[in-house]
Amino acid sequence: MTMVVDAIIAALILLGAAFVLIGSWGLVRLPSTMERLHGPTKATTLGLGALLIGSMIFFQARLGIWTAHELLICVFLFITAPISANMIAKVHLHRLRTGAIVEPGSIAGDPPPPGGDADWATFEAPHDGPADTAAGR
């Protein structure tokens, strides 16, 4: 292997390891659920992507074998991580609005109170009054 390829592989592995470490640290240290979502969905996804791309380059340069396993893992990871984070966030917001959970204080500030006019991407809490219709809102 040439020095340039070795340097690219080493840089991708170090970059990936740093992103995974920062993402894992954020998952453990951030106070609220919504803030904790950013660790594994942003930094760790980028870190694993860099590690897998470094692995692809290594096996191509070292053995001359082109494998699609790492590429398929990257594609699967980049598709599923944002979708799962979105679903977790929606469930969390719904539970906050219905009063099922109480979230500790966070860096982002307090969420709007339940029943307000806040436009959140979740279901509304059940109302005690007559049923609302879609046209009557």
Side-chain angles (χ1 to χ4, degrees), residues 54-133:
S55 174
M56 282 176 30
I57 295 171
F58 173 77
F59 283 109
Q60 173 62 31
R62 177 75 183 232
L63 302 175
I65 298 172
W66 181 259
T67 61
H69 297 115
E70 292 93 348
L71 185 62
L72 291 174
I73 293 169
C74 280
V75 168
F76 180 75
L77 184 68
F78 286 139
I79 289 173
T80 58
I83 293 170
S84 62
N86 188 15
M87 293 298 135
I88 292 170
K90 283 185 178 247
V91 168
H92 178 72
L93 290 175
H94 178 67
R95 292 184 70 200
L96 272 177
R97 292 204 47 166
T98 60
I101 59 172
V102 176
E103 186 74 26
S106 70
I107 300 167
D110 295 330
D117 291 333
D119 188 20
W120 284 26
T122 184
F123 298 110
E124 291 185 11
H127 298 284
D128 291 334
D132 291 337
T133 62

Side-chain angles (χ1 to χ4, degrees), residues 3-20:
M3 293 294 288
V4 174
V5 174
D6 286 342
I8 291 172
I9 293 169
L12 283 170
I13 289 173
L14 288 175
L15 181 70
F19 271 119
V20 168

